[in-house]
């Protein structure tokens, strides 16, 4: 039996009261379920961070500078942000997940927290006095406040824009950047969604590195070549700071002791055959 419950608190109450055996919770509700004896499965499906969409500077000239994008990456204390906002997670600087061939462990710590370095990069890019970054208001006020504080500390002023239709407007190219939580798919899914002409590249940024990788994959779509070419894409994305990931976060699946659950890679909810009675 499936029940549609869009409110996370309602889902928590449903699993606590025995109305359901399994549900997805979040950082606010999972601790309560865990304290009541329910099992919390953590499956790393998403990453959360800044999508810098305007890499050519057409909307905000500052973002067209690689040094500025790198400065943003150095300005954020990811570990402190993770601890303050989430219920578990892993700091990262790359959009490719651990299950992909493109994943590079060293990129998880490529941009360590270094506000001094951030200021130096801004100065070298011609923005010693900073600039204003416009973002649609994200759904987590505490994350917004912390992010704003980190960027303010290096001279970047954040202008939050209230927009009830921010998701669709962001995908249509209205904004220069935004905070977002995005699924980590396979090598090709990640590349097509974030880098090529997919939903999260609305301003159609590209580079010779990406074009060459796509051409090479089209000519030789073997698993080994896809891994090799998407690794090159990942290297470029990290070093050119197309994105500023904060961390990977787990989907928090709570379940009662009446069932056993096997996590499904790259899925928030396991497939139905991954559930079985526990005999309790």
């Amino acid at each position: 039996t499936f029940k549609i419950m869009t409110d996370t608190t309602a889902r928590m109450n449903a699993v606590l009261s025995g109305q359901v055996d399994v549900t997805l919770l979040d950082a606010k509700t999972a601790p309560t379920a865990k304290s009541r004896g329910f099992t919390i499965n953590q499956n790393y499906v998403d990453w959360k961070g800044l999508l810098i969409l305007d890499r050519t500077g057409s909307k905000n000239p500052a973002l067209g500078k690689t040094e500025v994008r790198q400065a943003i990456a150095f300005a954020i204390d990811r570990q402190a942000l993770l601890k303050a906002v989430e219920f578990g997670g892993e700091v990262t600087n790359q959009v490719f997940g651990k299950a992909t061939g493109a994943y590079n462990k060293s990129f998880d710590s490529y941009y360590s927290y270094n506000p001094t370095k951030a200021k130096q990069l801004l100065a070298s890019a011609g923005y010693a006095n900073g600039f204003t970054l416009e973002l649609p208001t994200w759904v987590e006020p505490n994350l917004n406040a912390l992010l704003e504080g980190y960027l303010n500390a290096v001279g970047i002023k954040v202008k939050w824009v209230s927009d009830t239709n921010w998701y669709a407007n962001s995908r249509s190219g209205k904004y220069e950047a935004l905070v977002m939580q995005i699924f980590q798919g396979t090598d090709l899914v990640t590349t097509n969604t974030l880098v090529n002409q997919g939903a999260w590249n609305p301003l159609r940024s590209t580079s010779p590195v990406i074009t060459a990788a796509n051409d090479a994959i089209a000519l030789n779509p073997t698993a080994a070549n896809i891994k090799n070419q998407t690794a090159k894409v990942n290297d470029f994305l990290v070093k050119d700071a197309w994105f500023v990931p904060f961390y990977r976060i787990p989907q928090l699946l709570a379940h009662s002791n009446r069932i056993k659950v096997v996590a499904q890679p790259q899925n928030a909810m396991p497939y139905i055959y991954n559930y079985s009675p526990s005999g309790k």
Side-chain angles (χ1 to χ4, degrees), residues 49-54 59-60 63 69 72 76 81 131-141 143-152 156-167 169-170 174-180 200 242-244 246:
L50 270 175
L51 275 69
I52 300 177
L53 305 178
D54 186 21
K59 293 178 177 293
N60 187 334
L63 294 180
R69 301 193 299 270
I72 294 172
I76 300 166
L81 192 64
F131 69 97
T132 298
L133 179 66
E134 184 174 288
L135 302 172
T137 304
W138 177 240
V139 296
E140 297 171 292
L143 187 151
N144 294 345
L146 290 167
L147 176 62
E148 181 177 347
Y150 289 133
L151 296 181
N152 244 339
I156 301 172
K157 181 180 179 181
V158 178
K159 178 182 178 183
W160 296 104
V161 179
S162 180
D163 183 355
T164 57
N165 200 32
W166 66 269
Y167 185 85
N169 286 336
S170 297
K174 179 178 179 180
Y175 294 108
E176 61 202 43
L178 73 152
V179 180
M180 189 59 189
W200 292 111
W242 269 35
F243 304 93
V244 182
F246 304 152

Side-chain angles (χ1 to χ4, degrees), residues 71-184:
I72 294 172
F74 278 116
I76 300 166
D77 187 342
R78 291 165 178 78
Q79 196 63 57
L81 192 64
L82 174 65
K83 184 176 181 180
V85 176
E86 308 294 344
F87 183 78
E90 300 173 339
V91 167
T92 188
N93 297 156
Q94 61 191 313
V95 298
F96 284 88
K98 286 183 170 180
T100 65
Y103 173 77
N104 184 332
K105 184 178 180 180
S106 68
F107 288 159
D108 282 339
S109 56
Y110 190 83
Y111 293 103
S112 57
Y113 178 49
N114 192 335
T116 300
K117 178 71 171 177
K119 291 178 182 179
Q120 291 171 348
L121 285 165
L122 287 171
S124 68
Y127 291 91
N129 296 322
F131 69 97
T132 298
L133 179 66
E134 184 174 288
L135 302 172
T137 304
W138 177 240
V139 296
E140 297 171 292
N142 55 341
L143 187 151
N144 294 345
L146 290 167
L147 176 62
E148 181 177 347
Y150 289 133
L151 296 181
N152 244 339
V154 299
I156 301 172
K157 181 180 179 181
V158 178
K159 178 182 178 183
W160 296 104
V161 179
S162 180
D163 183 355
T164 57
N165 200 32
W166 66 269
Y167 185 85
N169 286 336
S170 297
R171 289 177 57 149
S172 70
K174 179 178 179 180
Y175 294 108
E176 61 202 43
L178 73 152
V179 180
M180 189 59 189
Q181 178 176 325
I182 295 184
F183 158 73
Q184 291 186 309

Side-chain angles (χ1 to χ4, degrees), residues 15-58:
V15 76
L16 292 180
S17 64
Q19 296 177 56
V20 299
D21 286 305
V22 61
T23 191
L24 282 172
L25 298 180
D26 59 15
K28 294 180 180 179
T29 52
T32 300
K34 185 175 182 180
S35 70
R36 295 277 293 272
F38 289 82
T39 299
I40 306 294
N41 285 8
Q42 298 189 37
N43 188 20
Y44 287 87
V45 178
D46 296 346
W47 66 273
K48 186 182 292 184
L50 270 175
L51 275 69
I52 300 177
L53 305 178
D54 186 21
R55 297 127 187 166
T56 63
S58 60

Side-chain angles (χ1 to χ4, degrees), residues 223-237:
N225 191 48
I226 290 172
K227 176 180 178 179
N228 182 45
Q229 298 303 325
T230 54
K232 293 178 183 178
V233 171
N234 191 23
D235 182 87
F236 168 76
L237 295 178

